[in-house]
Amino acid sequence: TAFEASVALRHGDADTAINLLDRQKAMDDPYWVQIRSNACLLKNQLSEAVDFLLPLAEKTLEPGLLLKSGDLAYRAKRFDVAARCYEILVKAQPGNLPVHSNLAHIYTFELRDLEKAAVHFRVMHAAEPKNPMHTLNLAICLAQIFRPDESMALYDELAQLDNPPLSVVLGRAQLQHSMGHPDKALMSLDQFRSQFWEDSAFVLTYMSAAYAAGREEAAHEALVALNRLQEAGSVTPEVFRSIPQDEGLEIFKKSFKQSQDHNVYFHAEMIQGRMPWVWADQMASTAIYWGWRTRTQEMSWIGDDPTNRARFCI
């Protein structure tokens, strides 16, 4: 029966193959399971194909079946199942970097579990320490899970490369800025000013760091450069544009009102135990280091408003 079904599949007749196979189900037979799964694939039934393959893959722990199950689960957008298959596989094959890469991608972009993503980024970095992409991915991930010192060490390593890419230069400066050191961020950007001064992302980051560091002249230089880039058509209005004073005041009022509303909401969630202070500060775009200093400083008096009290506690 399985042979007849495989012949039907080779002729593109998935329905006949399924009818033949389902007359004599054999879920413990790897040959039967794979043909049945392939019939589902021919009908573009990805999730059903996973349901046939997965039990056999988990029972036999056969690497090929685990990989195929994981790949199909990913295509079917069953990312938790894909991660489970890949995790089992890398336990048996710890040096399988493509599967570690798949896991890092799933945890970063699909399951939003950066702690687990960091595990696999570390494995890839340890296996290929000279690969700058592995180093950069790990640095970005560590910064996002609030391990700035480890992240900075990796960024510093990348910055020593000949002609480091813009992503490295900006990532290091933004991390320094978030750690409360805009002066260091500006110094790190100055090293690459001649190389990236025609790039609007670099100039915007430079201007932000300069203003935060109290370097008004440097910030003004960046503003002039942005205006020049805009006039040349290198900067879209969504990125940067000059606005009339009245429009700017109206934008500021709306932004201030939104910030107040978000502040009240985040800290109301915090008071009720549904949001930790780190998350509240992250959602408010406050650097964690600065949030900690603000919340743990000595104060002689704090107002009784619940939101205000929540702002100064952990």
Side-chain angles (χ1 to χ4, degrees):
T1 301
F3 176 76
E4 293 174 345
S6 68
V7 172
L9 279 183
R10 283 197 294 272
H11 288 87
D13 190 351
D15 290 328
T16 296
I18 290 172
N19 289 332
L20 288 168
L21 290 166
D22 286 353
R23 289 176 190 171
Q24 294 182 345
K25 291 190 176 182
M27 294 294 289
D28 291 331
D29 181 351
Y31 184 57
W32 185 96
V33 169
Q34 292 188 70
I35 295 174
R36 187 63 176 83
S37 173
N38 289 338
C40 291
L41 288 179
L42 194 59
K43 293 172 69 68
N44 201 33
Q45 297 171 342
L46 298 180
S47 189
E48 290 84 348
V50 174
D51 289 334
F52 280 104
L53 276 181
L54 183 61
L56 184 64
E58 292 185 317
K59 180 179 179 180
T60 63
L61 301 182
E62 202 281 316
L65 283 176
L66 286 167
L67 181 61
K68 186 174 182 179
S69 299
D71 291 347
L72 285 177
Y74 183 86
R75 289 170 56 193
K77 299 187 186 302
R78 295 172 63 177
F79 301 117
D80 55 335
V81 173
R84 190 164 81 239
C85 292
Y86 292 147
E87 288 284 11
I88 296 172
L89 184 55
V90 293
K91 284 182 180 178
Q93 299 178 347
N96 193 328
L97 296 188
V99 177
H100 282 291
S101 179
N102 290 347
L103 282 164
H105 175 87
I106 289 173
Y107 287 133
T108 300
F109 299 107
E110 309 298 349
L111 299 181
R112 308 293 181 182
D113 190 337
L114 292 178
E115 290 284 353
K116 288 183 178 178
V119 171
H120 299 284
F121 283 130
R122 284 188 191 278
V123 171
M124 291 187 287
H125 178 254
E128 298 179 347
K130 299 300 183 182
N131 186 324
M133 188 55 64
H134 294 338
T135 308
L136 178 59
N137 286 336
L138 180 57
I140 293 171
C141 187
L142 290 172
Q144 291 180 333
I145 58 176
F146 315 118
R147 298 179 186 172
D149 293 333
E150 294 177 70
S151 178
M152 186 59 68
L154 294 170
Y155 272 121
D156 287 341
E157 175 186 326
L158 288 167
Q160 301 305 313
L161 297 173
D162 293 334
N163 300 315
L166 181 61
S167 55
V168 169
V169 175
L170 295 186
R172 182 170 71 152
Q174 289 162 354
L175 180 58
Q176 289 168 326
H177 196 163
S178 71
M179 294 171 69
H181 304 300
D183 51 338
K184 290 183 179 180
L186 190 61
M187 289 175 60
S188 73
L189 291 170
D190 271 327
Q191 300 174 38
F192 303 98
R193 177 167 164 165
S194 60
Q195 185 177 346
F196 295 114
W197 197 242
E198 297 302 312
D199 188 287
S200 59
F202 178 88
V203 180
L204 277 168
T205 304
Y206 188 96
M207 183 173 68
S208 176
Y211 276 126
R215 294 273 302 280
E216 299 291 335
E217 291 183 6
H220 180 71
E221 285 183 65
L223 181 61
V224 171
L226 281 170
N227 277 319
R228 176 176 52 78
L229 290 171
Q230 186 183 45
E231 290 170 0
S234 301
V235 182
T236 63
E238 291 77 17
V239 174
F240 173 80
R241 69 184 179 92
S242 299
I243 58 175
Q245 182 177 349
D246 291 344
E247 184 182 348
L249 183 59
E250 208 46 48
I251 292 174
F252 174 78
K253 288 179 179 178
K254 289 181 180 179
S255 176
F256 183 74
K257 176 67 166 56
Q258 289 176 345
S259 178
Q260 282 188 313
D261 292 344
H262 288 161
N263 182 53
V264 171
Y265 172 74
F266 296 149
H267 286 93
E269 293 291 287
M270 181 180 160
I271 290 170
Q272 297 179 55
R274 293 198 291 257
M275 179 181 288
W277 73 268
V278 171
W279 193 5
D281 279 350
Q282 183 184 20
M283 296 299 291
S285 299
T286 301
I288 300 305
Y289 171 77
W290 183 252
W292 174 264
R293 288 195 62 180
T294 300
R295 293 173 181 278
T296 58
Q297 65 179 307
E298 292 186 11
M299 302 185 71
S300 58
W301 178 82
I302 301 176
D304 289 332
D305 176 72
T307 301
N308 185 59
R309 295 187 72 84
R311 285 182 58 232
F312 296 102
C313 75
I314 55 172

